[in-house]
Coordinates of all heavy atoms in Angstrom, one line a residue:
M278 N 181.0 7.7 44.9 CA 180.7 6.5 44.1 C 180.8 6.8 42.6 O 180.3 7.8 42.2 CB 179.4 5.9 44.4 CG 179.2 4.5 44.0 SD 177.7 3.7 44.7 CE 178.2 3.4 46.4
A279 N 181.4 5.9 41.8 CA 181.6 6.1 40.4 C 180.3 5.8 39.6 O 179.4 5.0 40.1 CB 182.7 5.2 39.9
L280 N 180.2 6.4 38.4 CA 179.0 6.1 37.6 C 179.4 5.0 36.6 O 180.5 4.9 36.1 CB 178.6 7.3 36.8 CG 178.1 8.5 37.6 CD1 177.7 9.6 36.7 CD2 176.9 8.0 38.5
F281 N 178.4 4.2 36.2 CA 178.6 3.2 35.2 C 178.8 3.8 33.8 O 178.0 4.6 33.4 CB 177.4 2.3 35.2 CG 177.4 1.2 34.1 CD1 178.2 0.1 34.2 CD2 176.6 1.4 32.9 CE1 178.2 -0.8 33.2 CE2 176.6 0.4 31.9 CZ 177.4 -0.7 32.0
T282 N 179.9 3.5 33.2 CA 180.2 4.1 31.9 C 180.6 2.9 30.9 O 180.9 1.8 31.3 CB 181.3 5.1 31.9 OG1 182.5 4.4 32.4 CG2 181.0 6.3 32.8
V283 N 180.5 3.3 29.6 CA 180.9 2.3 28.6 C 181.9 3.0 27.7 O 181.8 4.2 27.4 CB 179.6 2.0 27.7 CG1 180.0 1.1 26.5 CG2 178.6 1.3 28.6
T284 N 183.0 2.3 27.3 CA 183.9 2.8 26.4 C 183.5 2.4 25.0 O 183.5 1.2 24.7 CB 185.4 2.2 26.7 OG1 185.7 2.5 28.0 CG2 186.4 2.8 25.7
L285 N 183.2 3.3 24.1 CA 182.7 3.1 22.8 C 183.9 2.6 21.9 O 185.1 2.9 22.2 CB 182.1 4.3 22.2 CG 180.8 4.8 23.0 CD1 180.3 6.1 22.4 CD2 179.7 3.8 23.0
P286 N 183.6 2.0 20.7 CA 184.7 1.5 19.9 C 185.7 2.6 19.5 O 186.9 2.3 19.3 CB 183.9 1.0 18.6 CG 182.6 0.5 19.2 CD 182.3 1.6 20.3
G287 N 185.3 3.8 19.4 CA 186.2 4.9 19.1 C 187.0 5.4 20.2 O 187.8 6.4 20.1
G288 N 186.8 4.8 21.4 CA 187.5 5.3 22.6 C 186.8 6.3 23.5 O 187.2 6.5 24.6
E289 N 185.7 6.8 23.0 CA 184.9 7.8 23.8 C 184.2 7.1 24.9 O 183.7 6.0 24.8 CB 183.9 8.5 22.9 CG 183.2 9.6 23.5 CD 182.2 10.3 22.5 OE1 182.4 10.1 21.3 OE2 181.2 10.9 23.0
I290 N 184.2 7.8 26.1 CA 183.5 7.2 27.3 C 182.0 7.7 27.2 O 181.8 9.0 27.1 CB 184.1 7.7 28.6 CG1 185.6 7.3 28.6 CG2 183.4 7.2 29.8 CD1 185.9 5.9 28.6
W291 N 181.1 6.8 27.4 CA 179.7 7.2 27.3 C 179.0 6.8 28.6 O 179.3 5.6 29.1 CB 179.0 6.5 26.1 CG 177.5 6.8 26.0 CD1 176.9 8.1 25.9 CD2 176.5 5.9 26.0 NE1 175.6 7.9 25.8 CE2 175.3 6.6 25.9 CE3 176.4 4.5 26.1 CZ2 174.0 6.0 25.9 CZ3 175.2 3.9 26.0 CH2 174.0 4.6 25.9
T292 N 178.2 7.6 29.2 CA 177.4 7.3 30.4 C 176.0 7.0 30.1 O 175.2 8.0 29.8 CB 177.5 8.5 31.4 OG1 178.9 8.8 31.6 CG2 176.9 8.1 32.7
P293 N 175.5 5.8 30.1 CA 174.1 5.5 29.8 C 173.2 6.1 30.9 O 173.6 6.2 32.0 CB 174.1 3.9 29.9 CG 175.5 3.5 29.7 CD 176.3 4.6 30.3
Q294 N 172.0 6.5 30.4 CA 171.0 7.1 31.3 C 169.8 6.1 31.3 O 169.1 6.0 30.3 CB 170.6 8.4 30.8 CG 171.7 9.5 30.8 CD 172.0 10.0 32.2 OE1 171.1 10.1 33.1 NE2 173.3 10.4 32.4
F295 N 169.6 5.4 32.4 CA 168.6 4.4 32.5 C 167.2 4.9 32.9 O 167.1 5.9 33.7 CB 169.0 3.3 33.5 CG 170.3 2.6 33.1 CD1 171.5 3.1 33.6 CD2 170.3 1.6 32.2 CE1 172.7 2.4 33.2 CE2 171.5 1.0 31.8 CZ 172.7 1.4 32.3
V296 N 166.2 4.3 32.4 CA 164.8 4.8 32.6 C 164.4 4.5 34.1 O 164.6 3.4 34.6 CB 163.8 4.2 31.6 CG1 163.7 2.7 31.8 CG2 162.5 4.8 31.7
N297 N 163.9 5.5 34.7 CA 163.4 5.4 36.1 C 161.9 5.3 36.1 O 161.3 4.4 36.7 CB 163.8 6.6 37.0 CG 165.3 6.6 37.2 OD1 165.9 5.6 37.4 ND2 165.9 7.8 37.3
S298 N 161.3 6.3 35.5 CA 159.8 6.4 35.5 C 159.3 7.2 34.4 O 160.0 7.9 33.7 CB 159.4 7.0 36.9 OG 159.9 8.3 37.0
I299 N 158.0 7.0 34.2 CA 157.3 7.8 33.1 C 156.1 8.5 33.8 O 155.3 7.9 34.6 CB 156.7 6.8 32.0 CG1 157.9 6.0 31.4 CG2 155.9 7.6 31.0 CD1 157.4 4.9 30.5
D300 N 156.0 9.8 33.6 CA 154.9 10.6 34.2 C 153.5 10.3 33.6 O 153.3 10.7 32.5 CB 155.3 12.1 34.1 CG 154.3 12.9 34.9 OD1 153.2 12.6 35.1 OD2 154.8 14.0 35.3
A301 N 152.7 9.5 34.3 CA 151.4 9.1 33.8 C 150.5 10.3 33.6 O 149.6 10.2 32.7 CB 150.8 8.1 34.8
D302 N 150.7 11.4 34.3 CA 149.8 12.5 34.1 C 150.1 13.2 32.8 O 149.2 13.8 32.2 CB 150.0 13.5 35.3 CG 149.5 12.9 36.6 OD1 148.5 12.1 36.6 OD2 150.0 13.3 37.7
K303 N 151.3 13.2 32.4 CA 151.7 13.9 31.1 C 151.5 13.0 29.9 O 151.3 13.5 28.8 CB 153.2 14.3 31.2 CG 153.5 15.4 32.1 CD 155.0 15.7 32.0 CE 155.5 16.7 33.0 NZ 156.9 16.8 32.9
C304 N 151.6 11.6 30.1 CA 151.6 10.7 28.9 C 150.3 10.7 28.2 O 149.2 10.7 28.7 CB 151.9 9.3 29.4 SG 151.9 8.1 28.1
I305 N 150.4 10.8 26.8 CA 149.2 10.8 26.0 C 149.1 9.5 25.2 O 148.3 9.4 24.3 CB 149.2 12.0 25.0 CG1 150.5 12.0 24.1 CG2 149.1 13.3 25.7 CD1 150.6 13.0 23.0
A306 N 149.9 8.5 25.6 CA 149.9 7.2 25.0 C 150.0 7.2 23.5 O 149.4 6.4 22.8 CB 148.6 6.4 25.4
C307 N 150.9 8.0 23.0 CA 151.1 8.1 21.6 C 151.9 6.9 21.0 O 151.9 6.7 19.8 CB 151.9 9.4 21.2 SG 153.6 9.5 21.8
G308 N 152.7 6.2 21.8 CA 153.4 5.1 21.4 C 154.7 5.3 20.8 O 155.4 4.4 20.4
R309 N 155.2 6.6 20.6 CA 156.4 6.9 20.0 C 157.6 6.2 20.7 O 158.5 5.6 20.1 CB 156.7 8.4 20.0 CG 155.8 9.1 19.0 CD 156.2 10.6 19.1 NE 155.5 11.5 18.1 CZ 154.3 12.0 18.3 NH1 153.6 11.7 19.4 NH2 153.8 12.7 17.3
C310 N 157.6 6.3 22.0 CA 158.7 5.7 22.8 C 158.7 4.2 22.7 O 159.8 3.6 22.6 CB 158.5 6.1 24.3 SG 156.9 5.6 25.0
F311 N 157.6 3.5 22.6 CA 157.5 2.1 22.5 C 158.1 1.7 21.2 O 158.9 0.7 21.1 CB 156.0 1.7 22.5 CG 155.8 0.2 22.5 CD1 155.7 -0.5 23.7 CD2 155.6 -0.5 21.3 CE1 155.5 -1.9 23.7 CE2 155.4 -1.9 21.3 CZ 155.4 -2.6 22.5
K312 N 157.9 2.4 20.1 CA 158.4 2.0 18.8 C 160.0 2.2 18.7 O 160.6 1.4 18.0 CB 157.8 2.9 17.7 CG 156.4 2.6 17.4 CD 155.8 3.5 16.4 CE 154.3 3.2 16.2 NZ 153.6 4.3 15.4
V313 N 160.5 3.1 19.5 CA 162.0 3.3 19.4 C 162.8 2.4 20.4 O 164.0 2.3 20.2 CB 162.4 4.8 19.5 CG1 161.8 5.6 18.4 CG2 162.1 5.3 20.9
C314 N 162.1 1.9 21.3 CA 162.9 1.1 22.3 C 163.2 -0.3 21.8 O 162.4 -1.1 21.5 CB 162.1 0.9 23.6 SG 163.0 -0.1 24.9
A315 N 164.5 -0.5 21.6 CA 165.0 -1.8 21.0 C 165.1 -2.9 22.1 O 165.4 -4.0 21.7 CB 166.4 -1.5 20.4
Q316 N 164.8 -2.6 23.3 CA 165.0 -3.5 24.4 C 163.7 -4.1 25.0 O 163.7 -4.8 26.0 CB 165.9 -2.9 25.5 CG 167.3 -2.5 25.1 CD 168.1 -3.8 24.8 OE1 168.5 -4.0 23.6 NE2 168.3 -4.6 25.7
A317 N 162.6 -3.7 24.4 CA 161.3 -4.2 24.9 C 161.1 -3.9 26.4 O 160.6 -4.7 27.1 CB 161.1 -5.6 24.6
V318 N 161.5 -2.7 26.8 CA 161.3 -2.3 28.2 C 159.9 -1.8 28.5 O 159.4 -2.0 29.6 CB 162.3 -1.1 28.5 CG1 162.1 -0.6 29.9 CG2 163.8 -1.6 28.3
L319 N 159.3 -1.2 27.5 CA 158.1 -0.4 27.8 C 156.8 -1.2 27.6 O 156.7 -2.2 26.8 CB 158.0 0.8 26.9 CG 159.3 1.6 27.0 CD1 159.4 2.7 26.0 CD2 159.5 2.2 28.4
R320 N 155.7 -0.8 28.3 CA 154.5 -1.6 28.3 C 153.3 -0.6 28.4 O 153.3 0.3 29.3 CB 154.4 -2.6 29.4 CG 153.2 -3.5 29.4 CD 153.4 -4.7 30.3 NE 153.4 -4.2 31.7 CZ 152.3 -4.4 32.5 NH1 151.3 -5.0 32.1 NH2 152.3 -4.0 33.8
L321 N 152.3 -0.7 27.5 CA 151.2 0.2 27.5 C 150.1 -0.5 28.4 O 149.8 -1.7 28.3 CB 150.6 0.3 26.1 CG 149.6 1.4 25.9 CD1 150.2 2.8 26.2 CD2 149.0 1.3 24.5
I322 N 149.6 0.3 29.4 CA 148.5 -0.2 30.2 C 147.3 0.7 30.3 O 147.4 1.9 29.8 CB 149.0 -0.4 31.7 CG1 149.4 1.0 32.3 CG2 150.1 -1.4 31.8 CD1 149.6 0.9 33.8
G323 N 146.2 0.3 30.8 CA 145.1 1.1 31.0 C 145.0 1.6 32.5 O 145.5 0.9 33.4
I324 N 144.4 2.7 32.7 CA 144.2 3.2 34.1 C 142.6 3.4 34.2 O 142.1 4.1 33.3 CB 144.9 4.6 34.4 CG1 146.4 4.5 34.1 CG2 144.5 5.1 35.7 CD1 147.1 3.8 35.2
D325 N 142.0 2.8 35.2 CA 140.6 3.0 35.3 C 140.3 4.3 36.1 O 141.2 5.0 36.6 CB 139.9 1.8 35.9 CG 140.2 1.5 37.4 OD1 140.8 2.5 38.0 OD2 140.0 0.4 37.9
E326 N 139.0 4.6 36.4 CA 138.6 5.8 37.0 C 139.1 5.9 38.5 O 139.1 7.0 39.0 CB 137.1 6.0 36.9 CG 136.3 4.8 37.5 CD 134.8 4.9 37.2 OE1 134.4 5.7 36.3 OE2 134.0 4.2 37.9
D327 N 139.4 4.7 39.1 CA 139.9 4.8 40.4 C 141.5 4.8 40.5 O 142.1 4.7 41.6 CB 139.5 3.5 41.2 CG 138.0 3.4 41.3 OD1 137.4 4.5 41.5 OD2 137.4 2.3 41.1
G328 N 142.1 4.9 39.3 CA 143.5 5.0 39.2 C 144.2 3.6 39.3 O 145.4 3.5 39.4
E329 N 143.4 2.6 39.2 CA 143.9 1.2 39.2 C 144.4 0.8 37.8 O 143.8 1.2 36.8 CB 142.9 0.2 39.7 CG 142.4 0.5 41.1 CD 143.4 0.3 42.2 OE1 144.3 -0.6 42.0 OE2 143.4 1.1 43.2
T330 N 145.4 -0.1 37.8 CA 145.9 -0.6 36.5 C 144.9 -1.6 35.9 O 144.4 -2.5 36.5 CB 147.2 -1.3 36.8 OG1 148.1 -0.4 37.3 CG2 147.8 -1.9 35.5
V331 N 144.8 -1.5 34.5 CA 143.9 -2.4 33.8 C 144.8 -3.0 32.7 O 145.4 -2.3 31.9 CB 142.7 -1.7 33.1 CG1 141.9 -2.6 32.3 CG2 141.9 -1.0 34.2
E332 N 144.9 -4.3 32.7 CA 145.7 -5.0 31.6 C 144.9 -4.8 30.3 O 143.7 -5.0 30.3 CB 145.9 -6.5 31.9 CG 146.8 -6.7 33.1 CD 148.2 -6.2 32.9 OE1 148.7 -6.2 31.8 OE2 148.8 -5.7 33.9
L333 N 145.6 -4.5 29.2 CA 144.9 -4.4 27.9 C 144.9 -5.7 27.2 O 145.9 -6.4 27.2 CB 145.6 -3.3 27.1 CG 145.7 -1.9 27.8 CD1 146.5 -1.0 26.9 CD2 144.3 -1.4 28.0
D334 N 143.8 -6.0 26.5 CA 143.7 -7.1 25.6 C 144.6 -6.9 24.4 O 144.9 -5.8 24.0 CB 142.3 -7.4 25.1 CG 141.4 -7.8 26.3 OD1 141.9 -8.2 27.3 OD2 140.2 -7.6 26.2
D335 N 145.0 -8.0 23.8 CA 145.8 -7.9 22.5 C 144.9 -7.5 21.3 O 145.3 -7.0 20.3 CB 146.5 -9.2 22.2 CG 147.7 -9.3 23.2 OD1 148.2 -8.3 23.7 OD2 148.1 -10.5 23.4
D336 N 143.6 -7.9 21.5 CA 142.7 -7.6 20.3 C 142.3 -6.1 20.3 O 142.6 -5.4 21.2 CB 141.4 -8.5 20.4 CG 140.7 -8.4 21.7 OD1 140.7 -7.2 22.2 OD2 140.2 -9.4 22.2
D337 N 141.6 -5.7 19.3 CA 141.3 -4.3 19.1 C 139.8 -4.1 19.3 O 139.2 -3.2 18.7 CB 141.7 -3.8 17.7 CG 143.2 -3.5 17.6 OD1 143.8 -3.2 18.7 OD2 143.8 -3.7 16.5
D338 N 139.1 -4.9 20.1 CA 137.7 -4.8 20.1 C 137.2 -3.7 21.1 O 136.1 -3.5 21.3 CB 137.0 -6.1 20.4 CG 137.5 -6.7 21.8 OD1 138.2 -6.0 22.5 OD2 137.2 -7.9 22.1
D339 N 138.2 -3.1 21.8 CA 137.9 -1.9 22.6 C 137.0 -2.2 23.8 O 136.2 -1.3 24.2 CB 137.3 -0.8 21.8 CG 138.2 0.5 21.8 OD1 139.3 0.4 22.4 OD2 137.7 1.5 21.3
D340 N 137.0 -3.4 24.3 CA 136.1 -3.7 25.4 C 136.8 -3.6 26.8 O 136.2 -4.0 27.8 CB 135.4 -5.1 25.2 CG 136.5 -6.2 25.2 OD1 137.7 -5.9 25.2 OD2 136.1 -7.4 25.1
D341 N 138.0 -3.2 26.8 CA 138.7 -3.0 28.1 C 138.1 -1.8 28.8 O 137.7 -0.8 28.2 CB 140.2 -2.7 27.9 CG 140.9 -3.8 27.1 OD1 140.7 -5.0 27.5 OD2 141.6 -3.5 26.1
E342 N 138.0 -1.9 30.1 CA 137.4 -0.8 30.9 C 138.4 0.1 31.5 O 138.8 -0.1 32.6 CB 136.4 -1.4 31.9 CG 135.2 -2.1 31.3 CD 134.2 -2.5 32.3 OE1 134.4 -2.2 33.5 OE2 133.3 -3.2 31.9
Y343 N 138.9 1.1 30.8 CA 139.9 2.0 31.3 C 139.5 3.4 30.9 O 138.8 3.7 30.0 CB 141.3 1.7 30.7 CG 141.3 1.7 29.2 CD1 141.4 2.9 28.5 CD2 141.2 0.5 28.4 CE1 141.4 2.9 27.1 CE2 141.2 0.5 27.1 CZ 141.3 1.7 26.4 OH 141.3 1.7 25.0
E344 N 140.0 4.3 31.8 CA 139.8 5.7 31.6 C 140.7 6.3 30.6 O 140.4 7.1 29.7 CB 140.0 6.4 32.9 CG 139.6 7.9 32.9 CD 138.4 8.2 33.7 OE1 137.4 7.5 33.6 OE2 138.5 9.1 34.5
K345 N 142.0 5.9 30.7 CA 143.0 6.3 29.7 C 144.1 5.3 29.7 O 144.2 4.4 30.5 CB 143.6 7.7 30.1 CG 144.4 7.7 31.4 CD 145.1 9.0 31.8 CE 146.3 9.2 30.9 NZ 147.1 10.3 31.4
K346 N 144.9 5.4 28.6 CA 146.1 4.5 28.5 C 147.3 5.3 28.8 O 147.4 6.5 28.5 CB 146.2 4.0 27.0 CG 145.1 3.0 26.6 CD 145.4 2.6 25.1 CE 144.3 1.9 24.5 NZ 144.5 1.5 23.1
V347 N 148.3 4.6 29.4 CA 149.6 5.3 29.7 C 150.7 4.3 29.4 O 150.5 3.1 29.6 CB 149.7 5.8 31.1 CG1 148.7 6.9 31.4 CG2 149.5 4.7 32.1
M348 N 151.9 4.8 29.1 CA 153.1 4.0 28.9 C 153.7 3.8 30.3 O 153.7 4.7 31.1 CB 154.0 4.6 28.0 CG 155.1 3.7 27.4 SD 154.3 2.3 26.4 CE 153.7 3.2 25.0
T349 N 154.2 2.6 30.5 CA 154.8 2.3 31.8 C 156.2 1.5 31.5 O 156.4 1.1 30.4 CB 154.0 1.4 32.7 OG1 153.7 0.2 32.0 CG2 152.7 2.1 33.1
V350 N 157.0 1.4 32.6 CA 158.2 0.7 32.5 C 157.9 -0.8 32.9 O 157.7 -1.1 34.1 CB 159.3 1.3 33.5 CG1 160.6 0.5 33.3 CG2 159.5 2.8 33.1
G351 N 157.8 -1.6 31.9 CA 157.5 -3.0 32.2 C 158.7 -3.9 32.6 O 158.6 -4.8 33.4
H352 N 159.8 -3.6 32.0 CA 161.0 -4.4 32.2 C 162.3 -3.5 32.3 O 163.1 -3.4 31.4 CB 161.2 -5.4 31.1 CG 160.2 -6.5 31.1 ND1 160.2 -7.6 32.0 CD2 159.1 -6.6 30.4 CE1 159.2 -8.3 31.8 NE2 158.5 -7.8 30.8
A353 N 162.4 -2.8 33.5 CA 163.5 -1.9 33.7 C 164.8 -2.6 33.6 O 165.8 -2.0 33.2 CB 163.4 -1.2 35.1
E354 N 164.9 -3.9 33.9 CA 166.1 -4.6 33.9 C 166.7 -4.8 32.5 O 167.9 -5.1 32.4 CB 166.0 -6.0 34.6 CG 165.3 -7.1 33.8 CD 163.7 -6.9 33.7 OE1 163.2 -5.9 34.3 OE2 163.1 -7.8 33.1
R355 N 165.9 -4.6 31.5 CA 166.4 -4.7 30.1 C 166.9 -3.4 29.5 O 167.5 -3.4 28.4 CB 165.2 -5.2 29.2 CG 164.7 -6.5 29.5 CD 163.6 -6.8 28.4 NE 162.9 -8.1 28.7 CZ 161.7 -8.3 28.3 NH1 161.0 -7.5 27.5 NH2 161.1 -9.5 28.6
C356 N 166.7 -2.3 30.2 CA 167.1 -1.0 29.7 C 168.6 -0.9 29.5 O 169.4 -1.2 30.4 CB 166.6 0.1 30.6 SG 167.0 1.8 30.1
S357 N 169.0 -0.4 28.3 CA 170.4 -0.2 28.0 C 170.9 1.2 28.2 O 172.0 1.5 28.0 CB 170.6 -0.6 26.5 OG 170.0 0.3 25.6
G358 N 169.9 2.1 28.6 CA 170.3 3.4 28.9 C 170.5 4.3 27.6 O 171.2 5.3 27.7
C359 N 169.9 3.9 26.5 CA 170.2 4.6 25.2 C 169.5 6.0 25.2 O 169.9 6.8 24.4 CB 169.7 3.8 24.1 SG 167.9 3.7 23.9
Q360 N 168.4 6.2 25.9 CA 167.7 7.5 26.0 C 166.8 7.8 24.8 O 166.3 8.9 24.7 CB 168.7 8.7 26.2 CG 169.6 8.5 27.4 CD 170.7 9.5 27.4 OE1 170.5 10.7 27.3 NE2 171.9 9.0 27.6
A361 N 166.7 6.9 23.9 CA 165.9 7.1 22.7 C 164.4 7.5 23.1 O 163.8 8.3 22.5 CB 165.9 5.9 21.8
C362 N 163.9 6.8 24.1 CA 162.5 7.0 24.6 C 162.3 8.5 25.0 O 161.4 9.2 24.6 CB 162.2 6.1 25.7 SG 163.4 6.1 27.0
A363 N 163.2 9.0 25.8 CA 163.1 10.3 26.3 C 163.3 11.4 25.2 O 162.7 12.4 25.3 CB 164.1 10.6 27.5
M364 N 164.2 11.1 24.3 CA 164.5 12.0 23.2 C 163.2 12.2 22.3 O 163.0 13.3 21.8 CB 165.6 11.5 22.3 CG 166.9 11.3 23.1 SD 167.9 12.8 23.2 CE 168.6 12.8 21.6
I365 N 162.5 11.1 22.1 CA 161.4 11.2 21.2 C 160.0 11.6 21.8 O 159.1 12.0 21.1 CB 161.2 9.8 20.4 CG1 160.5 10.1 19.1 CG2 160.4 8.8 21.2 CD1 160.7 9.0 18.1
C366 N 160.0 11.5 23.1 CA 158.7 11.8 23.8 C 158.3 13.2 23.7 O 159.1 14.1 24.1 CB 158.8 11.4 25.3 SG 157.3 11.8 26.2
P367 N 157.1 13.5 23.1 CA 156.7 14.9 22.9 C 156.3 15.6 24.2 O 156.1 16.8 24.2 CB 155.6 14.8 21.9 CG 155.0 13.5 22.2 CD 156.1 12.6 22.6
K368 N 156.0 14.9 25.2 CA 155.5 15.4 26.5 C 156.5 15.5 27.6 O 156.1 15.8 28.8 CB 154.2 14.6 26.9 CG 153.1 14.5 25.8 CD 152.6 15.9 25.4 CE 151.7 16.5 26.4 NZ 151.1 17.7 25.9
K369 N 157.7 15.1 27.3 CA 158.8 15.1 28.4 C 158.4 14.3 29.6 O 158.4 14.8 30.7 CB 159.1 16.6 28.7 CG 159.6 17.4 27.6 CD 160.3 18.7 28.0 CE 160.7 19.6 26.9 NZ 161.1 19.0 25.6
C370 N 157.9 13.1 29.4 CA 157.4 12.2 30.5 C 158.5 11.5 31.2 O 158.3 11.0 32.3 CB 156.5 11.2 29.9 SG 155.0 11.8 29.1
Y371 N 159.7 11.4 30.6 CA 160.7 10.5 31.1 C 161.6 11.0 32.2 O 162.0 12.2 32.2 CB 161.6 10.0 30.0 CG 160.9 8.8 29.3 CD1 159.9 9.1 28.3 CD2 161.2 7.5 29.6 CE1 159.3 8.0 27.7 CE2 160.5 6.4 29.0 CZ 159.6 6.7 28.1 OH 158.9 5.7 27.5
S372 N 161.9 10.2 33.2 CA 162.9 10.4 34.2 C 163.9 9.3 34.0 O 163.6 8.1 34.1 CB 162.3 10.4 35.6 OG 163.3 10.3 36.6
L373 N 165.2 9.7 33.8 CA 166.3 8.8 33.6 C 167.5 9.2 34.5 O 167.6 10.4 34.9 CB 166.8 8.8 32.1 CG 165.7 8.5 31.1 CD1 165.3 9.7 30.4 CD2 166.3 7.5 30.0
S374 N 168.3 8.2 34.8 CA 169.5 8.6 35.5 C 170.6 7.6 35.2 O 170.4 6.4 34.8 CB 169.2 8.6 37.0 OG 168.8 7.4 37.5
A375 N 171.8 8.0 35.5 CA 173.0 7.1 35.4 C 173.0 6.1 36.5 O 172.4 6.4 37.6 CB 174.3 7.9 35.3
A376 N 173.6 5.0 36.3 CA 173.7 4.0 37.4 C 175.1 4.1 38.1 O 176.1 4.4 37.5 CB 173.6 2.6 36.8
E377 N 175.0 3.9 39.4 CA 176.3 4.0 40.2 C 176.8 2.6 40.3 O 176.1 1.6 40.3 CB 176.0 4.5 41.6 CG 175.5 5.9 41.6 CD 175.3 6.4 43.0 OE1 175.1 5.6 44.0 OE2 175.2 7.7 43.2
V378 N 178.2 2.5 40.3 CA 178.8 1.2 40.4 C 179.7 1.2 41.6 O 180.1 2.2 42.2 CB 179.7 0.8 39.2 CG1 178.7 0.6 38.0 CG2 180.7 1.9 38.8
Ligands
LIG468 S1 166.6 4.2 27.5 FE1 166.6 3.0 25.6 S2 166.5 0.9 26.2 FE2 165.9 2.1 28.0 S3 163.6 2.3 27.9 FE3 164.5 4.1 26.8 S4 164.6 3.4 24.6 FE4 164.4 1.6 25.9
LIG469 S1 156.3 9.1 23.9 FE1 155.8 10.1 25.8 S2 153.6 10.7 25.6 FE2 154.1 9.2 24.0 S3 153.5 7.2 24.9 FE3 155.7 7.5 25.3 S4 155.7 8.4 27.4 FE4 153.7 8.7 26.6

């Protein structure tokens, strides 16, 4: 099966690498990946002591009951495969792969 590729304006063939997952055990919630993602794919969530997901409030009053924050893939369908998130992540949390067509 062939991989999904893009022909760039200069004629070069480029193979996008799409985000699969983010390693919650390694993530330190630094937010670097969130800032560089131009497609609004990523979402910061809380994890409670039972490992359950906690939605974070938009305000900064710190009353959410979570053990730690982690970055997650909120909208994988928006990913352009640019790989900026994985390049900037200091903890090597990202798993990406090319798409088959
Ligand atoms: S590969 Fe690019 S578009 Fe996809 S999540 Fe990472 S930064 Fe966003
Ligand atoms: S850059 Fe890496 S460590 Fe920082 S929030 Fe994103 S996934 Fe987590």
Side-chain angles (χ1 to χ4, degrees):
M278 197 171 287
L280 295 181
F281 174 75
T282 60
V283 176
T284 304
L285 300 176
E289 188 179 337
I290 304 295
W291 178 58
T292 306
Q294 298 284 329
F295 298 95
V296 65
N297 291 327
S298 61
I299 302 169
D300 189 331
D302 291 333
K303 292 183 186 171
C304 179
I305 57 173
C307 67
R309 288 177 174 87
C310 56
F311 186 88
K312 288 179 184 166
V313 299
C314 179
Q316 295 297 113
V318 172
L319 306 171
R320 188 166 68 103
L321 193 64
I322 61 164
I324 302 284
D325 69 15
E326 58 188 15
D327 298 320
E329 299 294 326
T330 299
V331 177
E332 294 297 327
L333 301 176
D334 293 339
D335 289 334
D336 55 37
D337 283 330
D338 59 8
D339 240 8
D340 61 355
D341 302 313
E342 294 186 4
Y343 56 82
E344 185 113 312
K345 65 176 284 194
K346 293 181 189 175
V347 293
M348 199 61 70
T349 59
V350 182
H352 292 281
E354 77 283 1
R355 294 184 188 157
C356 181
S357 66
C359 72
Q360 305 166 52
C362 52
M364 301 273 284
I365 205 160
C366 177
K368 306 300 284 184
K369 302 192 184 328
C370 296
Y371 276 83
S372 165
L373 304 100
S374 62
E377 293 181 345
V378 291

